[in-house]
Amino acid sequence: MKKKAPKTSQNAAGKSKKLKDTSVDDFMNSIGDSGSDSASDDEQDTSAKVVFSNGRANGHSKAVANGNGTDDDSDEGDEEELDEEEESVEDEESGEEEEVSGEEDSEDGEASGEEEEGDDEDASEDESDDAGDSSADEGASQNGDIGKEHKKSLSKLKELDPDFYKYLEENDKKLLQFDVSDSDDTDKEEDDNIHRPEKLDGDSGESEPEDDDSSPGKSSGSVTLKMVEKWRAALQNEKSLSVIGDAIKAFHAAVKRVAPDEERSACRYKVEGSAVFNAVVQMCVLDLPPAIRKFLNISSSSLTHTSPAKSKRWPKLKSFLKSYVEDLLQLLGGIASVNITTILLKHIHQMTAFIICFSNLTKHFMKKMISLWATGDETVRVVAFMCILRATTLQQKTLLDKVLRHMYMAYVQNTKFVSPNTLPSINFMRRSLTELFLLDENVSYHHAFLYIRQLAIHLRNAITLHKPESIQSVYNWQFISSLALWIELLGASTKKALQPLLFPVVQVAIGAAKLVPTEQYFPLRFHCARLLIGLSKNTGTFIPVLPFLLEILSSYDFNKPHKKVSMRPLDFSCILRLSHQQCQENGFKDAVIENIYSLVLEYLASESCSIAFPDLALPCVVQIKNFLKKCKVANHTKKLKQILDKIEENKKFIENERKNVTFNLSDIKAIQNWETAVRVKGTPLDNFYKSYQKMNILKRERGKKDEIDITENFPKINRSMKRKASAEGPVELLPSDDSDSDNLGFGKVEEEPKKAKVKRVKKIKDTKAKKVDVSEDLTDNDDADDAADIVEDVDLSEW
């Protein structure tokens, strides 16, 4: 070894010249040598062992030498010689490598200097040496190359990035004070070089050291309430990326604690206990969004028109936010409580501007929000829609088309069944979806045209084929709800983009109303007429709705007696088709007259300001008079006479106003100005309709209050009376419904003497006591039904 000293010292100067031309990858690999303090040490230990064992078995020292860029011919010759002798001296090499590794720990600075000085001439002289000496020299030269290259890279780092070099001086002095004698095993360093550059890519080496500071002692530590309090104080006062990262990783551990065993993964922290879990979630919900905005130097108001991805500090925070959003959506999917779901949705509404910066997560996010908007609770639906609206307004060009399509499909799927409980949610979905369609009417036109065409195709097939299957494709709630959506959209539109769709929508509605003109489908006709009346009022177009309503007065005989008596009036708000039994009840006629009365009054009130009202109402007056001559039921004729009187009153009012007109009938603008003046002044029919509408709303509210009071009080009284009767004992035998035991018992009691009779009664009492528990629910239901009938009688007498 002494003979090689002068030669290796000469070659050291030549190798230092080559280090000046090191690539960026070598520079980043050299920085990765400090990865012993990184957050992923626990995960890398196992992989390092695998690489290390494979390297020894296959001549790993040669791979290390090639990885550092020694491409000289003499080294290649040495490697070829070692490959030839590998099979014969494999055992000797392994033993000598262990000796070399022991010598490396005990050698001083001179030995490290000899390890740094390796040259092409040394390789040619060492061909005659022993195989163990050559492998030891290569290992020594490898350690010297690593130390020399690392020191050279650090000196370049001070020139290339002085800010980062200053940061290392303040936070990681061990990295700058690197010494070859203090280094660990070379194979472990090579494993660090392999894995570290992926985390340094794109972050300029700034965000990762902040993670590494807290990793050694916290890799398996549990989160405490004191730690959460410190994090909350730091989030509120400081502008630190490390604190945000710790809070997000603690939230990740909390979510994985709730997740199934299959989805759990290794986490830096451990969240144990419900108190710590709630504290971590509360910290992220309340303090994390302001801390993120403070770190990015973005205000909450500026997020509406600027993307946070444009901030200079966004690359440092991007990976943390992506992990946090994934955990947040996972937690939202596993919560059943309405209150907690609402709180998380409000937090997501604040984070929407950050969520849409990730294209992969935006798709999953929108699907989750749409499902909550369609199937969630009332408050959950509202907050989910606010999240959808904010996301689509921020990225309208990319999201609006997909969101409209998915929301329309969810709306149609959830309107298959309509009941008094689901009707408010369906109305909310229709109005909120209309608001989204109005964001861009040019985009909405394509969707509306396509879906209205589908409705027209279903109607055409039903008219031409006239089969039960084709008729059922039109007479269902999904068809009517879709038609109601497009009618409401056209009524709310203020631009001309959607006006060409007005005529086909009206034709589809009229065709559906006239498809099956029987009394069983009168409710569906009333729904279509109500939709057309609303469209006429909102768009200001004339739609002939009265013929479809007055046709019922002439097609159905209201004088024929009813076959069944029903105490409950029929409500057509959630009905499309009536059964034959319902058509034979007395409540059917009352409900039909009530709907004709309200719809005719609403339509004429909307047209009461028209200059052509006397001419418009003339056919209606004629048909009502004919009905009054034929009908002999006082309850039916009374309401239609009232409408007739109001029509005549409004007719005289318009005729008096027309006497003072000086413009021609061809002057459309003058006619519109005259009608607006009459509308501001008020008409008799319009004033009467407003008062009728107020009284109708009050009646519905009173009916709801009465129903609530009845359901709360009556079952309690019945249960208490039943318990008293069962406590008396033998009295329970009389109202019993058990035929087998009671009949047998009563028959035997009459034949037996009195003493045996008393004993027999006791036996019957015992058997009956056992059977009370089994039949208790059935008797409760029977009593509840009887109580409901009694309550309805009382309610009707009050009215």
Side-chain angles (χ1 to χ4, degrees):
M1 298 299 292
K2 292 181 181 180
K3 294 179 181 180
K4 295 187 288 181
K7 295 179 181 180
T8 55
S9 62
Q10 293 175 1
N11 294 327
K15 180 161 290 188
S16 63
K17 295 179 181 180
K18 294 180 180 180
L19 289 175
K20 293 182 181 180
D21 300 330
T22 56
S23 62
V24 178
D25 295 335
D26 296 334
F27 167 66
M28 295 173 71
N29 291 334
S30 65
I31 295 177
D33 294 338
S34 64
S36 59
D37 295 334
S38 63
S40 60
D41 285 344
D42 295 338
E43 298 177 358
Q44 292 178 356
D45 288 339
T46 57
S47 62
K49 292 179 181 178
V50 176
V51 175
F52 183 71
S53 62
N54 294 333
R56 285 186 174 179
N58 298 321
H60 185 61
S61 60
K62 296 181 293 180
V64 174
N66 293 331
N68 288 318
T70 57
D71 298 326
D72 297 333
D73 296 332
S74 59
D75 290 338
E76 293 177 358
D78 190 11
E79 291 173 0
E80 292 176 358
E81 182 180 358
L82 290 176
D83 289 332
E84 294 175 357
E85 297 176 359
E86 183 177 4
E87 297 179 356
S88 62
V89 297
E90 183 176 1
D91 297 333
E92 295 179 1
E93 286 179 356
S94 62
E96 289 169 357
E97 284 176 359
E98 292 179 357
E99 294 177 359
V100 172
S101 63
E103 292 175 357
E104 288 175 355
D105 296 333
S106 61
E107 284 180 354
D108 55 358
E110 294 179 358
S112 63
E114 291 178 358
E115 291 171 354
E116 293 176 358
E117 298 172 354
D119 195 36
D120 300 336
E121 297 178 358
D122 294 334
S124 62
E125 291 180 0
D126 291 340
E127 291 178 355
S128 61
D129 293 341
D130 191 60
D133 294 336
S134 64
S135 62
D137 291 338
E138 282 183 345
S141 63
Q142 173 62 25
N143 285 335
D145 292 341
I146 293 174
K148 186 68 177 179
E149 184 179 358
H150 188 68
K151 290 181 180 180
K152 196 72 176 179
S153 301
L154 292 177
S155 62
K156 287 185 178 182
L157 178 63
K158 188 173 182 180
E159 299 176 359
L160 296 175
D161 196 351
D163 294 336
F164 182 53
Y165 189 87
K166 184 177 180 181
Y167 175 82
L168 292 178
E169 288 180 347
E170 296 176 358
N171 296 278
D172 200 350
K173 294 182 179 180
K174 294 181 180 180
L175 182 62
L176 299 178
Q177 298 175 359
F178 179 81
D179 192 3
V180 178
S181 61
D182 297 335
S183 62
D184 294 335
D185 195 1
T186 58
D187 295 310
K188 185 176 180 180
E189 292 176 356
E190 183 195 4
D191 184 65
D192 291 337
N193 290 332
I194 293 173
H195 292 282
R196 296 304 298 170
E198 296 181 359
K199 296 183 179 180
L200 293 172
D201 188 12
D203 292 342
S204 301
E206 296 183 7
S207 62
E208 199 60 32
E210 294 180 0
D211 274 345
D212 296 341
D213 293 339
S214 60
S215 61
K218 298 180 182 178
S219 60
S220 60
S222 59
V223 180
T224 61
L225 294 176
K226 293 182 180 180
M227 295 172 63
V228 176
E229 291 178 359
K230 292 180 180 179
W231 286 338
R232 294 194 68 174
L235 289 174
Q236 294 173 1
N237 300 324
E238 300 178 5
K239 190 190 293 186
S240 175
L241 180 62
S242 61
V243 178
I244 296 175
D246 291 337
I248 291 175
K249 290 172 182 176
F251 183 80
H252 176 72
V255 173
K256 293 302 178 184
R257 174 180 174 269
V258 184
D261 296 336
E262 299 177 356
E263 299 180 0
R264 293 184 182 180
S265 59
C267 302
R268 172 178 295 183
Y269 299 107
K270 291 183 180 179
V271 176
E272 299 177 352
S274 60
V276 179
F277 178 84
N278 294 334
V280 171
V281 174
Q282 186 178 4
M283 172 188 66
C284 294
V285 169
L286 297 178
D287 301 326
L288 193 58
I292 293 173
R293 292 195 298 267
K294 186 187 299 182
F295 179 79
L296 297 176
N297 293 327
I298 297 175
S299 61
S300 59
S301 59
S302 62
L303 289 175
T304 57
H305 56 273
T306 58
S307 176
K310 296 181 180 179
S311 177
K312 295 181 180 179
R313 297 186 177 182
W314 174 256
K316 302 177 183 178
L317 194 63
K318 182 179 179 180
S319 59
F320 291 118
L321 280 179
K322 185 177 182 180
S323 175
Y324 178 69
V325 172
E326 291 176 352
D327 296 333
L328 191 61
L329 295 177
Q330 183 180 359
L331 180 63
L332 184 64
I335 291 176
S337 175
V338 176
N339 295 329
I340 299 176
T341 304
T342 306
I343 293 172
L344 288 179
L345 285 175
K346 292 180 180 179
H347 174 59
I348 289 174
H349 183 263
Q350 296 177 349
M351 299 289 295
T352 303
F354 304 101
I355 294 174
I356 60 177
C357 294
F358 305 99
S359 59
N360 295 332
L361 296 178
T362 302
K363 185 178 180 180
H364 177 59
F365 163 71
M366 296 305 295
K367 286 184 177 180
K368 186 63 179 177
M369 294 299 105
I370 291 172
S371 64
L372 292 175
W373 168 77
T375 60
D377 192 73
E378 182 179 357
T379 54
V380 173
R381 288 172 182 266
V382 175
V383 185
F385 172 70
M386 296 303 295
C387 296
I388 295 172
L389 182 62
R390 186 173 185 182
T392 51
T393 51
L394 291 176
Q395 288 190 357
Q396 186 170 336
K397 294 182 179 179
T398 58
L399 292 179
L400 183 59
D401 185 67
K402 296 180 181 179
V403 168
L404 291 178
R405 183 170 64 255
H406 288 289
M407 289 184 72
Y408 177 76
M409 297 304 296
Y411 168 74
V412 173
Q413 290 175 0
N414 288 276
T415 56
K416 188 174 182 180
F417 302 102
V418 177
S419 64
N421 295 328
T422 61
L423 187 60
S425 61
I426 292 173
N427 293 333
F428 167 75
M429 292 172 65
R430 183 174 64 252
R431 292 169 184 170
S432 57
L433 186 55
T434 301
E435 186 175 352
L436 280 180
F437 273 108
L438 292 175
L439 291 177
D440 190 351
E441 294 189 3
N442 294 323
V443 177
S444 301
Y445 177 83
H446 298 285
H447 292 276
F449 178 83
L450 177 64
Y451 296 124
I452 291 171
R453 183 175 177 272
Q454 290 181 354
L455 297 179
I457 291 172
H458 286 298
L459 180 61
R460 183 190 63 185
N461 294 334
I463 294 172
T464 55
L465 300 177
H466 206 73
K467 293 182 179 180
E469 295 82 7
S470 59
I471 294 174
Q472 188 63 32
S473 64
V474 175
Y475 280 5
N476 58 75
W477 276 114
Q478 291 177 328
F479 187 94
I480 300 300
S481 300
S482 180
L483 187 62
L485 172 66
W486 304 124
I487 287 177
E488 186 168 352
L489 175 62
L490 293 176
S493 176
T494 57
K495 298 180 181 179
K496 297 181 179 180
L498 298 175
Q499 286 184 358
L501 300 175
L502 184 62
F503 180 76
V505 166
V506 173
Q507 292 298 317
V508 171
I510 293 175
K514 296 174 62 177
L515 181 60
V516 182
T518 58
E519 62 270 13
Q520 290 183 347
Y521 293 99
F522 282 168
L524 188 140
R525 177 175 291 203
F526 293 144
H527 284 295
C528 294
R530 188 173 288 107
L531 294 176
L532 292 176
I533 291 170
L535 182 61
S536 177
K537 289 194 296 184
N538 294 328
T539 59
T541 58
F542 174 75
I543 301 174
V545 183
L546 288 178
F548 311 114
L549 299 174
L550 299 176
E551 184 183 357
I552 299 174
L553 297 177
S554 58
S555 62
Y556 185 77
D557 187 9
F558 289 90
N559 293 324
K560 63 180 180 180
H562 51 270
K563 297 181 181 180
K564 293 184 179 181
V565 178
S566 62
M567 303 303 296
R568 298 179 181 178
L570 291 176
D571 187 8
F572 292 162
S573 59
C574 300
I575 298 175
L576 290 180
R577 180 182 178 275
L578 296 171
S579 62
H580 292 284
Q581 295 179 355
Q582 290 175 333
C583 294
Q584 295 175 0
E585 295 177 358
N586 60 341
F588 168 71
K589 298 177 184 179
D590 297 336
V592 170
I593 293 296
E594 181 66 28
N595 279 273
I596 292 174
Y597 173 80
S598 61
L599 292 175
V600 170
L601 186 60
E602 182 181 1
Y603 181 76
L604 292 177
S606 63
E607 299 291 339
S608 62
C609 302
S610 176
I611 196 172
F613 180 80
D615 305 324
L616 176 65
L618 181 59
C620 180
V621 171
V622 173
Q623 291 187 5
I624 291 176
K625 288 181 178 180
N626 292 332
F627 174 77
L628 294 176
K629 291 178 181 178
K630 296 178 181 179
C631 184
K632 299 178 181 180
V633 182
N635 293 332
H636 301 164
T637 58
K638 182 179 178 180
K639 290 187 175 182
L640 294 178
K641 283 181 180 179
Q642 190 177 18
I643 290 181
L644 189 59
D645 294 339
K646 294 299 177 182
I647 291 174
E648 294 292 341
E649 184 179 357
N650 195 86
K651 180 180 177 182
K652 293 179 181 179
F653 175 79
I654 296 297
E655 288 177 351
N656 293 330
E657 294 292 331
R658 287 197 303 187
K659 292 179 180 179
N660 300 324
V661 170
T662 57
F663 52 83
N664 296 326
L665 295 177
S666 60
D667 192 355
I668 298 176
K669 292 183 179 179
I671 292 174
Q672 291 178 353
N673 295 331
W674 183 87
E675 289 179 351
T676 53
V678 172
R679 185 177 292 107
V680 172
K681 187 176 181 180
T683 59
L685 191 58
D686 191 19
N687 296 331
F688 175 75
Y689 174 72
K690 290 179 180 178
S691 61
Y692 165 77
Q693 197 173 10
K694 291 179 181 178
M695 293 298 295
N696 196 14
I697 293 172
L698 292 175
K699 286 182 181 180
R700 290 179 182 176
E701 292 178 355
R702 289 177 184 176
K704 290 181 181 179
K705 291 181 180 179
D706 293 339
E707 289 178 359
I708 293 172
D709 294 338
I710 291 167
T711 54
E712 288 180 356
N713 297 329
F714 239 91
K716 295 180 181 178
I717 297 172
N718 288 334
R719 289 178 182 175
S720 62
M721 291 174 65
K722 184 175 179 58
R723 290 175 184 174
K724 291 181 180 179
S726 61
E728 293 177 1
V731 181
E732 181 66 22
L733 297 175
L734 296 177
S736 176
D737 294 331
D738 297 333
S739 59
D740 297 333
S741 61
D742 291 346
N743 291 335
L744 293 174
F746 282 121
K748 292 182 180 179
V749 168
E750 293 177 356
E751 296 177 358
E752 292 179 356
K754 293 182 179 180
K755 292 183 180 180
K757 185 177 181 179
V758 174
K759 292 180 181 180
R760 193 62 180 174
V761 169
K762 290 182 179 179
K763 291 182 180 179
I764 295 172
K765 179 180 179 181
D766 295 336
T767 57
K768 186 60 187 177
K770 294 179 181 179
K771 292 184 178 181
V772 166
D773 297 333
V774 179
S775 61
E776 185 176 0
D777 295 333
L778 297 175
T779 55
D780 286 340
N781 293 331
D782 295 337
D783 294 338
D785 294 336
D786 296 337
D789 293 337
I790 294 171
V791 170
E792 285 186 357
D793 293 339
V794 174
D795 192 10
L796 291 173
S797 63
E798 291 178 358
W799 283 102

